[in-house]
Amino acid sequence: MDVQRKLEILADAAKYDASCASSGTEKRDSSDRKGMGSTAPGMGICHSYAPDGRCISLLKVLLTNACNYDCLYCVNRASSNVPRARFTIEEVVKLTLDFYRRNYIEGLFLSSGIIRSPDYTMEQVVGVARKLREEHHFRGYIHLKTIPEADDALIAEAGKYADRLSINIEMPEEASLQQFAPEKDVRAIRRTMGRLRLKLDEAEENRVAKTKARPQRFAPAGQSTQMIVGADSASDHTILHTSSNLYGSYKLRRVYYSAFSPIPDASRALPLVQPPLLREHRLYQADWLMRFYGFDVGEIVDDSAMLPLDIDPKLAWALRHRDRFPLDVNRASREELLRVPGFGTKAVERIIATRRTTTIRLADLARLHVPRNKALPFIVLSDHRPSPHRLDAAGLIERFKPKATQLGFGF
Amino acid sequence: MQYITLDNETDFDGWREAARSLVLHHVQPTNVAWTVQGRDAELFAPQAPSPILAVNDGSFKVSGKFVDLAKAAILHRDPERFAILYRLLWRLKDNHDLIEVATDPDVALATAMARAVHRDEHKMHAFVRFREIGRERAAHYVAWFEPEHHIVELAAPFFAKRFADMPWSILTPELCAHWDGHSLSFTPGVNKSEAPGEDRLEETWRRYYASIFNPARLKVKAMQAEMPKKYWRNLPEASIIKPLIEDAERMTGAMIANAATDPHKPQRRPEAPMTRKTAANDLEALREEAAHCRACHLYKDATQTVFGEGPKSANIMLVGEQPGDKEDLAGHPFVGPAGQMLDRALEEAGVDRKKVYVTNAVKHFKFVPRGKIRLHQKPNTPEIKACRQWYEREVSAIQPDLIVAMGATAAQSVFGKITPIGKNRGRLIDLPDGRKALVTVHPSYLLRLPDPEAKALEYRRFVEDLKIVAGLQKKAARAA
Ligand code: SF4
């Protein structure tokens, strides 16, 4: 089988992993001319976008799509009839370097079906990273998928080469993992996340304390995970509760939500429907509220409830807490401002800097990049005060519901 | 009227020098006309450019934020940018804080320009596609790009640092950047026909692009928001976007409509994972069994069961309350700060740590997540009761002579009922089964004491309690 055909099979097999980020790592470049590559400070670079709206920043492939496990939701499960392929370590290395040289990608995201044993599989995955870093002095971004329960020495080596490590939690609840992936063990996954966090903490402590001359490097872009949404019956509350637990326990950089989508040669036990993309989007918004806006899960969505699909979770929260509004933009605290619908973190910073010298007026909202329609019922400005009935009006929610739109493509 | 002619479109230093002089000579913004050498020649033809007025000693300060903003905004293609920035500078001179006022029209305009420039720079970093000329060691990499603003010089160092080991050129209509492996240089713009038309890897790249996209989740608008069509003509993958989209619905429909095929019968390799190792002894078996405990809900959010550890032959068993954050992650009892405190106290008291068995009354970490940390929570009575089975089975596997209960939760488990520490601590108590028990505080209690004096005092008392353990350990060693 030629490399192009392998690439088709093994990229196809990797596309259900939502993670794409190449951000948040240490700063590196190749100005010493010993190798090639650099990392973008701050955010990574999306080199292209696919028609599914997702960023392409890494060569995202599996080393092999052969797998011993038979997870129902997975296109690569042992009982699936998809064509199989396996890259050699050299082939992945060459593809990565060739693509990188043409500026198609920021680096590599390598994962693998589990073959023979977790240690054997992990060793292969680490082998690619080792070759890229040690033989080719590749300085670009590397994200490796960790195999649960792989040997500690392999995990340590993976962290030495990789910018980010990840291990997918797969399902929001243990019961659904048991149902869909009977051979996977949520405890093993969590134990591995715990081990990663201990290593990340240690590297961080060494870095801060500068105790050792050259502290052991360990995945500077941290760890992430993915959860499949919509294959089981877990509520949004359950999903967000699991995320908040994972963030707190393992200091994950990101939890990715992947709306379950039909896969070729799907198992008969699965719902074959269009993926719930809007639900996925609302979960990302809610996740954002937890990480950057100081919201607790319980504030975002009630026990065992679902997020509303027609309006975003922050607006939904504000509508449930009308008694806290309207807020005076020229006086309110940062925490309060962050809770106004339509106010992003950057807009809040701009507001706080601006109001030190001048009063904010209605006409200023556009320059602050605040969507007027969304915010106005909730705020007081020096020349604006929403009518007192406005917030009570039963029709308020109607005002925010989006007009029916269609996905179109204009050529 | 002052007519200022800058050397070129990105002449920040020229602008800065002129602007400084104009401000110091109190030239109103409305009395300045800005242009660039070679541009709009006919418009300004009648007037010779004004000489830059000499500056004596006068000077004024502007914030660094303005300088950064101006450096970026000046690369915008809008011919008005020099005038806008001069107007802003003029106003900043007397109103230093103006730069923070996001709602000011001039600040907003300049900020928007700078943002557009940075976005264009970012897109150039992303969408430049090199094509290889020659092979292997003789290869040279050449790209064609059409920036929207005057950003080539701004964007080029990024490529020099990233592709330091290969010679490359980025050709644009306005300015071309070159890297020979040692230094950057710039030459005038060229025509697209000067750039190579293809690369041997583009077909592979297109196949990757087609395979990595999931046809079941078409989101064309989201794609276009980030990758506007104006960039498409220079992206090799763009040629297949339209057919991919057209095909996507058909493919998804087919996936949904097609009944699943009969599952392929996988052949398991003999060394397939997930084989359980068999336990070496009853304590090992117990540990393995406890790893799957579901007797209360605490297992749900915790990482793992943290079971007791120590030699099976231990005649002393230390019982703590419950694992903490670190113990939960590592899977071992007493490895966090409280564990270090315990180790120190044991050593001071003369207890051989290697010969004691250490466990907790409750085997799972109880906590509530607060952002990036987990706040420790006290186990309640039903949880302590549910977990007591493990403690009891540990006791019967180890058969210790002395059990040390550290803290209230531990005491409740050891005595089977709520047992206050204060009244009972520091003396040997007989247990119904003939063993002895000793009650003391939990080392994490010492960690929480804010007053250093009280802390030192309490620590001494703790060591004193442990000395009783040391005494018994020695006696047992002599007897053996
Ligand atoms: S805390 Fe104890 S009883 Fe509860 S699940 Fe864990 S091991 Fe079982």
Side-chain angles (χ1 to χ4, degrees):
Chain A
M1 197 185 290
D2 69 352
V3 173
Q4 274 193 10
R5 179 70 190 127
K6 284 190 190 177
L7 178 62
E8 282 177 336
I9 295 173
L10 293 168
D12 194 275
K15 72 185 171 196
Y16 302 97
D17 208 304
S19 159
C20 68
S22 52
S23 54
T25 190
E26 62 192 358
K27 210 174 152 185
R28 291 192 301 267
D29 62 43
S30 52
S31 356
D32 61 358
R33 270 176 263 130
K34 239 180 102 186
M36 169 183 55
S38 62
T39 47
M43 58 174 181
I45 299 175
C46 297
H47 286 266
S48 193
Y49 289 83
D52 55 17
R54 296 200 282 189
C55 150
I56 299 177
S57 76
L58 301 169
L59 169 61
K60 193 195 296 186
V61 287
L62 260 59
L63 198 54
T64 174
N65 64 339
C67 190
N68 278 351
Y69 290 4
D70 205 33
C71 308
L72 290 186
Y73 51 77
C74 180
V75 67
N76 306 317
R77 68 189 184 285
S79 63
S80 155
N81 288 309
V82 293
R84 306 283 172 171
R86 179 174 178 177
F87 273 134
T88 63
I89 289 181
E90 285 70 25
E91 284 167 341
V92 182
V93 167
K94 186 156 184 348
L95 263 177
T96 308
L97 296 172
D98 276 350
F99 276 7
Y100 198 87
R101 265 191 205 293
R102 284 155 182 84
N103 203 38
Y104 297 162
I105 51 169
E106 286 289 283
L108 172 69
F109 175 8
L110 188 64
S111 157
S112 180
I114 298 178
I115 45 169
R116 292 203 212 168
S117 70
D119 278 354
Y120 175 81
T121 310
M122 192 72 209
E123 167 59 37
Q124 297 292 303
V125 169
V126 170
V128 173
R130 185 191 301 128
K131 204 170 177 84
L132 277 168
R133 293 277 196 242
E134 308 259 282
E135 285 178 31
H136 298 276
H137 302 282
F138 176 66
R139 314 274 164 80
Y141 196 90
I142 298 181
H143 176 161
L144 298 179
K145 176 120 309 156
T146 314
I147 311 294
E149 304 276 54
D151 187 81
D152 220 45
L154 285 169
I155 301 265
E157 208 187 350
K160 183 172 149 199
Y161 301 128
D163 291 286
R164 171 167 290 179
L165 296 173
S166 65
I167 175 164
N168 288 352
I169 193 87
E170 312 287 15
M171 290 282 158
E173 282 182 301
E174 182 163 10
S176 31
L177 191 71
Q178 248 157 35
Q179 183 194 342
F180 289 101
E183 294 139 314
K184 276 199 183 144
D185 173 8
V186 76
R187 295 294 127 188
I189 294 169
R190 295 188 67 134
R191 274 198 300 276
T192 303
M193 285 182 175
R195 281 198 288 164
L196 292 181
R197 195 196 123 185
L198 285 174
K199 291 211 158 72
L200 288 164
D201 283 357
E202 201 182 309
E204 175 65 15
E205 277 161 27
N206 287 340
R207 205 181 53 77
V208 171
K210 297 209 173 66
T211 41
K212 291 188 205 155
R214 283 207 77 186
Q216 178 75 64
R217 176 186 184 282
F218 195 85
Q223 62 167 327
S224 65
T225 195
Q226 166 168 302
M227 222 187 291
I228 299 167
V229 173
D232 66 351
S233 59
S235 71
D236 289 346
H237 180 272
T238 305
I239 291 170
L240 291 170
H241 173 84
T242 300
S243 297
S244 114
N245 176 351
L246 294 174
Y247 280 125
S249 299
Y250 311 116
K251 299 215 181 115
L252 297 177
R253 290 291 176 90
R254 286 288 300 275
V255 174
Y256 288 93
Y257 304 95
S258 176
F260 174 73
S261 74
I263 49 174
D265 195 38
S267 153
R268 292 185 182 121
L270 282 175
L272 274 179
V273 289
Q274 284 290 338
L277 294 181
L278 189 53
R279 182 177 177 205
E280 178 191 282
H281 178 61
R282 294 287 180 237
L283 283 168
Y284 275 118
Q285 289 177 318
D287 185 277
W288 201 259
L289 292 183
M290 297 198 296
R291 286 188 296 143
F292 301 108
Y293 291 77
F295 280 80
D296 263 354
V297 184
E299 290 180 288
I300 300 172
V301 55
D302 291 338
D303 264 5
S304 73
M306 301 293 279
L307 294 166
L309 287 177
D310 50 359
I311 51 173
D312 71 71
K314 196 185 195 187
L315 181 56
W317 178 87
L319 289 170
R320 286 198 303 273
H321 295 89
R322 296 172 202 215
D323 53 311
R324 304 206 194 179
F325 296 102
L327 269 184
D328 187 339
V329 171
N330 286 297
R331 287 212 183 80
S333 69
R334 172 181 273 116
E335 288 65 37
E336 287 173 320
L337 289 174
L338 281 172
R339 298 214 162 201
V340 176
F343 280 27
T345 44
K346 285 208 186 112
V348 168
E349 291 316 313
R350 278 194 284 266
I351 287 168
I352 289 171
T354 299
R355 72 185 189 185
R356 281 198 198 108
T357 18
T358 180
T359 315
I360 295 170
R361 308 170 70 83
L362 193 54
D364 297 329
L365 290 185
R367 291 194 199 103
L368 293 164
H369 299 282
V370 166
R372 225 176 123 96
N373 252 357
K374 204 176 238 182
L376 278 186
F378 300 96
I379 55 173
V380 171
L381 297 158
S382 59
D383 55 350
H384 160 81
R385 172 168 287 279
S387 95
H389 318 296
R390 185 94 164 266
L391 269 178
D392 300 327
L396 184 58
I397 188 162
E398 290 306 322
R399 168 195 166 103
F400 295 112
K401 291 205 175 155
K403 313 253 171 328
T405 48
Q406 255 191 324
L407 286 178
F409 189 64
F411 261 96
Chain B
M1 196 73 177
Q2 296 283 324
Y3 294 93
I4 309 291
T5 302
L6 300 174
D7 284 353
N8 56 58
E9 296 285 356
T10 60
D11 183 11
F12 177 76
D13 291 338
W15 175 85
R16 181 187 191 144
E17 197 193 337
R20 201 170 101 85
S21 147
L22 291 164
V23 166
L24 289 172
H25 286 89
H26 308 288
V27 182
Q28 296 276 347
T30 45
N31 287 337
V32 188
W34 299 85
T35 189
V36 170
Q37 199 119 82
R39 191 226 288 169
D40 302 338
E42 69 293 349
L43 205 64
F44 291 94
Q47 275 89 8
S50 321
I52 300 218
L53 308 163
V55 183
N56 305 327
D57 325 309
S59 78
F60 60 99
K61 278 209 178 334
V62 287
S63 79
K65 193 166 171 183
F66 171 75
V67 178
D68 290 342
L69 184 67
K71 273 187 180 159
I74 216 152
L75 305 180
H76 199 276
R77 70 166 169 199
D78 186 342
E80 288 302 308
R81 64 195 183 279
F82 305 115
I84 293 166
L85 288 172
Y86 180 60
R87 195 164 67 218
L88 185 55
L89 179 69
W90 176 260
R91 296 176 58 215
L92 270 172
K93 178 185 54 135
D94 302 316
N95 181 1
H96 211 76
D97 295 332
L98 182 66
I99 196 76
E100 299 294 342
V101 181
T103 55
D104 179 84
D106 286 334
V107 173
L109 212 54
T111 310
M113 283 182 167
R115 200 177 298 129
V117 163
H118 285 307
R119 184 174 156 89
D120 199 31
E121 179 198 14
H122 182 76
K123 293 299 180 197
M124 179 162 168
H125 292 163
F127 297 147
V128 152
R129 297 281 184 265
F130 287 113
R131 286 172 163 158
E132 189 187 58
I133 303 176
R135 285 292 286 265
E136 307 291 317
R137 308 226 162 264
H140 187 102
Y141 292 83
V142 182
W144 170 254
F145 193 72
E146 292 157 69
E148 203 173 338
H149 303 288
H150 308 292
I151 56 160
V152 175
E153 288 156 292
L154 178 69
F158 164 85
F159 294 99
K161 283 186 196 148
R162 174 160 289 195
F163 302 107
D165 73 339
M166 69 190 209
W168 54 259
S169 298
I170 301 173
L171 313 179
T172 88
E174 190 181 289
L175 188 71
C176 301
H178 311 274
W179 172 258
D180 57 8
H182 297 278
S183 59
L184 265 179
S185 58
F186 298 91
T187 56
V190 294
N191 210 293
K192 185 173 182 176
S193 58
E194 310 265 318
E198 55 186 11
D199 183 279
R200 67 188 164 89
L201 223 68
E202 279 172 11
E203 181 53 26
T204 315
W205 173 240
R206 273 190 289 268
R207 293 224 198 164
Y208 173 68
Y209 183 82
S211 311
I212 200 66
F213 129 78
N214 185 347
R217 2 178 345 138
L218 217 48
K219 271 188 174 176
V220 178
K221 277 206 183 115
M223 170 186 72
Q224 278 195 67
E226 298 296 338
M227 192 167 74
K229 277 191 180 168
K230 65 180 177 203
Y231 297 109
W232 289 17
R233 63 182 159 219
N234 296 318
L235 295 173
E237 65 271 26
S239 64
I240 58 168
I241 293 178
K242 196 176 174 209
L244 281 177
I245 292 168
E246 285 167 353
D247 214 29
E249 283 183 39
R250 191 189 54 74
M251 282 170 63
T252 313
M255 263 190 301
I256 295 177
N258 278 351
T261 49
D262 279 329
H264 161 80
K265 290 274 176 310
Q267 297 208 332
R268 285 301 156 94
R269 290 173 181 272
E271 68 270 62
M274 310 302 288
T275 46
R276 283 262 151 71
K277 46 179 189 304
T278 42
N281 57 42
D282 50 347
L283 194 59
E284 280 302 308
L286 202 57
R287 178 194 306 278
E288 178 58 28
E289 199 186 331
H292 302 279
C293 180
R294 302 284 185 270
C296 76
H297 67 105
L298 288 186
Y299 79 91
K300 273 195 180 151
D301 287 344
T303 303
Q304 54 196 320
T305 311
V306 180
F307 205 67
E309 276 176 10
K312 196 174 141 33
S313 58
N315 53 3
I316 288 157
M317 180 161 159
L318 297 188
V319 186
E321 310 203 293
Q322 63 149 340
D325 184 68
K326 196 95 182 245
E327 287 79 11
D328 169 80
L329 298 172
H332 303 292
F334 286 99
V335 291
Q340 281 156 21
M341 171 79 83
L342 176 66
D343 282 351
R344 207 177 94 202
L346 284 174
E347 199 185 318
E348 251 176 76
V351 179
D352 186 351
R353 169 78 157 87
K354 289 190 291 298
K355 289 193 181 141
V356 294
Y357 185 86
V358 181
T359 191
N360 282 302
V362 169
K363 311 286 193 242
H364 274 113
F365 180 34
K366 183 179 181 183
F367 64 95
V368 285
R370 274 283 166 280
K372 295 244 155 181
I373 58 159
R374 304 192 280 183
L375 288 182
H376 169 282
Q377 302 270 291
K378 231 176 134 47
N380 57 30
T381 297
E383 289 151 1
I384 297 171
K385 279 200 176 133
C387 215
R388 192 163 191 261
Q389 52 158 326
W390 299 115
Y391 160 75
E392 284 169 353
R393 292 169 71 183
E394 277 175 305
V395 169
S396 52
I398 305 278
Q399 297 287 351
D401 302 328
L402 171 68
I403 299 172
V404 183
M406 299 185 292
T409 301
Q412 189 176 344
S413 198
V414 170
F415 294 97
K417 57 172 199 269
I418 292 173
T419 305
I421 310 250
K423 274 197 291 191
N424 300 298
R425 94 178 267 188
R427 61 189 164 84
L428 293 175
I429 303 170
D430 289 322
L431 287 169
D433 60 2
R435 298 174 215 285
K436 303 258 184 246
L438 176 74
V439 176
T440 184
V441 293
H442 195 274
S444 64
Y445 159 76
L446 306 175
L447 286 172
R448 281 196 303 269
L449 286 175
D451 174 33
E453 250 174 70
K455 203 178 201 154
L457 191 77
E458 277 299 318
Y459 178 73
R460 295 264 41 102
R461 284 189 69 195
F462 184 51
V463 173
E464 287 308 312
D465 291 346
L466 292 179
K467 279 192 178 151
I468 303 173
V469 180
L472 277 179
Q473 203 178 39
K474 288 204 188 84
K475 217 158 91 191
R478 273 197 301 276

